[in-house]
Amino acid sequence: MKPIVADADAISHAADLLRQGRLVAFPTETVYGLGADASNPVAVAAIFKAKGRPADHPLIVHIADIDSLYDWASTVPDAALTLAHRFWPGPLAMILNKKPEVPLAVTGGQQTVGLRMPDHPVALALLKSFGGGVAAPSANRFCRISPTQAVHVSEELGDAVDMILDGGTCQVGVESTIIDLSGSKPRLLRPGHITRQEIEAVLQTELLIPPASKPAEIRAPGMMAVHYAPTTPAMRCPAEQLPDRMQKLVADGKRIGLLSYQLQIPETGQIRVLRLPKQASDYAQRLYAALRELDSLQLDLILVEQPPQTESWRAINDRLSKATVASATAPCVA
Ligand code: TXA
Ligand code: MG
């Protein structure tokens, strides 16, 4: 499926398709979403089929305004309103207790629902034109790298989607921050562009932080897939270890890709280098496209220079920990 420039006609046609229960990929400020009418369980089932995603993974429902929270959530706690007024439209999703009529197909069988008002003119125009909630996971195949450009969606989903609205490159580049407000204390479920500190400052309370997920297991082509992952084996590595490792790999005849942000290593016939910005938000914006580019080169290994482990890099480190293995856990790889 070829992307279509998201002008007014295209958006209105996309809204019609959603009404017919079809799938529309659309841009948001974070990543491209694969959208369907969230009130139509058959349409929602098509999302899972197109992505190859297990049906017990809940989807985020995208809404056009803060008032629409009441269409989906059985209760809207003060904290949710406070966060919505401060950060919406924006890269924040909130988990709230669902209304009985919200299809279980959307919530992965749970009694809670994820809600987000995206900050992208095309997404907002589509939501307004459609007039309801749009369930939309990232528009990639299950466990693969999220798309940040319309062409990535075509590469990922081909004709499994009925329309791809092209709204340019996503500005944030990593998925939204997710806060669970369905229990007695707010929990950070997924770090994103909006940081823990920003949310804690607004809520004036500490967030519960679930323990970090286990590091990704060592992957070889055809072995287990890991979230946000390229198909090429990928390893993150501290800058000081990179020159040695690369030298050994080159001596072994390997072709390697390097995703650096600080280290300067010259390219050779065997080494392809992509350098990302030193500022976390700029790095995040370009991360997935860079991983995708290196993944397309049929290299033996992608090495990622370990970014700083500070709060502003939390979302990036979270995604990298799922897309790559740590060099410390894979000494045999290089
Ligand atoms: O930035 C984003 O949030 C993008 C764009 C398209 O909006 N969407 C996105 O969707 O990242 P997805 O499906 O790839 O990730 C949604 C995450 C999943 O990890 C899912 O488990 C979690 O949200 N989630 C959704 N509803 C939930 C619920 N009721 N309880 C717990 N987690 C939920
Ligand atoms: Mg996703």
Side-chain angles (χ1 to χ4, degrees):
M1 183 64 53
K2 242 181 109 204
I4 293 172
V5 174
D7 59 16
D9 282 348
I11 290 172
S12 143
H13 179 51
D16 281 341
L17 289 174
L18 290 175
R19 274 179 219 109
Q20 294 161 24
R22 315 265 291 272
L23 298 181
V24 174
F26 63 97
T28 80
E29 79 281 32
T30 58
V31 300
Y32 273 75
L34 175 62
D37 177 354
S39 65
N40 176 347
V42 178
V44 170
I47 292 181
F48 289 94
K49 183 155 182 265
K51 272 187 71 102
R53 177 169 171 156
D56 60 352
H57 278 233
L59 305 176
I60 293 174
V61 177
H62 296 69
I63 53 179
D65 47 41
I66 295 177
D67 279 349
S68 301
L69 277 171
Y70 297 93
D71 296 339
W72 300 91
S74 59
T75 49
V76 180
D78 288 346
L81 283 179
T82 306
L83 289 179
H85 282 289
R86 171 66 183 79
F87 294 114
W88 279 5
L92 176 76
M94 298 191 283
I95 311 297
L96 302 178
N97 290 303
K98 80 173 192 76
K99 280 188 142 177
E101 57 267 36
V102 177
L104 289 170
V106 174
T107 69
Q110 305 186 66
Q111 292 305 317
T112 54
V113 60
L115 294 159
R116 162 167 131 78
M117 179 182 175
D119 187 14
H120 192 291
V122 172
L124 289 171
L126 177 65
L127 289 167
K128 286 212 176 76
S129 174
F130 173 61
V134 173
S138 49
N140 49 282
R141 297 203 40 87
F142 185 54
C143 287
R144 302 256 74 98
I145 303 167
S146 297
T148 53
Q149 296 170 21
V151 63
H152 300 165
V153 181
S154 317
E155 288 164 14
E156 284 285 319
L157 298 174
D159 286 336
V161 50
D162 297 300
M163 186 176 186
I164 302 172
L165 287 174
D166 188 346
T169 300
C170 302
Q171 286 303 303
V172 172
V174 291
E175 303 79 357
S176 59
T177 308
I178 304 182
I179 303 294
D180 180 4
L181 294 169
S182 67
S184 55
K185 294 227 170 83
R187 282 195 309 153
L188 176 70
L189 294 188
R190 179 172 73 184
H193 179 75
I194 296 174
T195 63
R196 169 189 182 176
Q197 278 78 5
E198 285 178 273
I199 292 166
E200 289 180 338
V202 172
L203 291 183
Q204 302 206 316
T205 183
E206 277 190 17
L207 293 178
L208 298 177
I209 315 277
S213 54
K214 281 193 287 170
E217 287 175 341
I218 297 172
R219 282 168 302 111
M223 270 177 62
M224 63 165 290
V226 187
H227 222 127
Y228 312 112
T231 49
T232 311
M235 181 168 79
R236 58 192 188 282
C237 195
E240 60 277 13
Q241 291 178 15
L242 273 169
D244 268 4
R245 281 190 184 263
M246 292 180 72
Q247 212 173 21
K248 279 186 208 135
L249 287 159
V250 167
D252 280 353
K254 303 278 191 241
R255 294 178 63 243
I256 42 186
L258 172 65
L259 198 59
S260 70
Y261 76 101
Q262 213 165 28
L263 197 69
Q264 302 206 27
I265 286 190
E267 288 204 325
T268 67
Q270 273 172 267
I271 305 176
R272 176 85 178 98
V273 181
L274 290 186
R275 194 125 176 261
L276 292 182
K278 288 192 180 125
Q279 218 254 333
S281 57
D282 297 337
Y283 183 111
Q285 201 220 341
R286 290 176 45 193
L287 172 63
Y288 287 154
L291 279 175
R292 207 172 263 282
E293 185 179 337
L294 289 178
D295 201 21
S296 72
L297 300 176
Q298 281 150 12
L299 302 164
D300 295 304
L301 182 69
I302 297 171
L303 288 166
V304 179
E305 177 183 359
Q306 173 64 59
Q309 307 270 12
T310 55
E311 193 56 38
S312 53
W313 291 81
R314 182 189 278 263
I316 292 163
N317 284 314
D318 171 73
R319 305 312 189 271
L320 284 177
S321 73
K322 290 167 182 154
T324 65
V325 300
S327 58
T329 63
C332 51
V333 177

